Amino acid sequence: MTEMKYRYRVDIITLFPETTGDVLSESILGRAQERDYLKIECHQLRDYTTNRQNQVDDYPYGGGHGAILQADPLYRCWKHICDETGDRGHTIFMSPCGTTFNQAKAKQLVSEYNHLILVCGHYEGIDQRFIDECVDEEISLGDFVLTGGEIAAMAVTDAVCRMVPGVLSDPACYENESYWDNLLEYPQYSRPAVWHDREVPPILLSGNHAAVDKWRRKMSIVRTRERRPDLFAKLDLSSKADKKLMKEIREEFGE
């Protein structure tokens, strides 16, 4: 059993551990692992098969195209992770049949668990019996199909792990971003102040932080209304300040 000195652990069961692990070892997540805030391990599924060919897939019962990942090597790998860490971990199968991943789910995963096991499917899927016995939930990135679960697993790992305390310098780094409170993030600008005859909004150069905060919230509301009316419908704009802001928005941008 491994002593858990880090704050959050993610184990990924995959056929491509080198590629997946390399991506998750760069930049912010890489530095967080060096500082022991995170531990991200990728496990080669083929290491847990019992046949000489390292075969982990076979044709599905009932016929059909392609092959599916077999239950036994998946279970052996999953059991090894559980034994090594000393806990079962919250096990997620990355599947197009799962519930759609969003920021709320990322917040739930980082607040309720400190160990995730992500299972990457491939080919035509995985044996349902492994799902029934070991998987706690299925998650999808959206209404489309990928050739494997690695991209989805990396996306979930990144979205969750960046919110682990200490990974980013301040919670404001993610609390002010899109989807945190059903608002899309406001437009951002950097130097130079004029680029291709396009100027930075003067309010951002004013040095008036209260006015800048007000402008940013206004732009977030406008952007959410225009691009994601489904999120806009969920917003609570009942405060006195927001009512005043909505009046300004109607006057400036129309209903």
Side-chain angles (χ1 to χ4, degrees), residues 4 6-10 36-40 106 108-116 160-161 164:
M4 191 167 179
Y6 35 83
R7 297 177 180 175
Y8 208 92
R9 174 166 178 150
V10 179
D36 290 330
Y37 293 129
L38 302 174
K39 186 174 181 63
I40 302 173
Q108 178 198 349
L109 292 177
V110 78
S111 64
E112 295 185 8
Y113 308 101
N114 61 7
H115 181 204
L116 300 181
V160 171
C161 287
V164 172

Side-chain angles (χ1 to χ4, degrees), residues 3-238:
E3 182 180 354
M4 191 167 179
K5 63 178 180 178
Y6 35 83
R7 297 177 180 175
Y8 208 92
R9 174 166 178 150
V10 179
D11 287 279
I12 302 175
I13 300 175
T14 171
L15 292 173
F16 304 98
E18 292 83 8
T19 301
T20 306
D22 286 349
V23 171
L24 296 173
S25 296
E26 296 292 333
S27 186
I28 293 171
L29 297 191
R31 291 193 293 272
Q33 291 182 75
E34 292 173 359
R35 296 168 184 166
D36 290 330
Y37 293 129
L38 302 174
K39 186 174 181 63
I40 302 173
E41 290 284 345
C42 296
H43 304 265
Q44 171 56 267
L45 180 60
R46 296 188 188 280
D47 291 343
Y48 297 89
T49 185
T50 56
N51 59 68
R52 294 181 180 179
Q53 297 78 23
N54 289 334
Q55 180 181 347
V56 294
D57 63 292
D58 209 336
Y59 296 111
Y61 282 120
H65 295 287
I68 61 172
L69 293 179
Q70 296 169 296
D72 197 57
L74 285 166
Y75 177 78
R76 288 173 179 271
C77 185
W78 177 85
K79 184 69 163 52
H80 169 80
I81 295 169
C82 295
D83 290 344
E84 181 185 62
T85 59
D87 71 85
R88 188 180 184 279
H90 185 71
T91 304
I92 300 171
F93 172 40
M94 309 311 305
S95 164
C97 298
T99 56
T100 303
F101 186 68
N102 55 27
Q103 188 65 33
K105 171 56 72 171
K107 288 195 286 185
Q108 178 198 349
L109 292 177
V110 78
S111 64
E112 295 185 8
Y113 308 101
N114 61 7
H115 181 204
L116 300 181
I117 301 175
L118 307 184
V119 182
C120 301
H122 232 272
Y123 311 121
E124 296 302 313
I126 71 177
D127 193 307
Q128 181 65 39
R129 291 170 294 184
F130 172 79
I131 298 174
D132 293 341
E133 182 158 339
C134 303
V135 171
D136 297 303
E137 64 175 314
E138 299 181 44
I139 286 179
S140 168
L141 285 192
D143 297 337
F144 54 88
V145 178
L146 299 168
T147 55
E150 284 74 20
I151 292 176
M154 288 188 287
V156 170
T157 300
D158 190 289
V160 171
C161 287
R162 67 195 301 272
M163 292 188 290
V164 172
V167 173
L168 296 180
S169 59
D170 192 289
C173 294
Y174 52 80
E175 290 177 355
N176 292 331
E177 292 179 327
S178 294
Y179 305 112
W180 183 260
D181 54 3
N182 286 324
L183 275 175
L184 299 184
E185 190 174 7
Y186 45 81
Q188 297 272 25
Y189 299 86
S190 185
R191 297 178 181 179
V194 179
W195 177 80
H196 288 200
D197 296 326
R198 298 175 183 270
E199 298 183 359
V200 172
I203 189 66
L204 299 180
L205 307 176
S206 68
N208 186 331
H209 297 298
V212 169
D213 289 343
K214 178 182 176 182
W215 179 87
R216 285 175 169 171
R217 181 161 180 82
K218 179 191 290 187
M219 291 302 101
S220 287
I221 292 172
V222 170
R223 178 175 278 188
T224 305
R225 184 181 67 167
E226 291 177 347
R227 302 183 183 184
R228 292 294 303 273
D230 57 321
L231 294 179
F232 181 77
K234 300 176 183 179
L235 291 178
D236 180 4
L237 301 171
S238 60

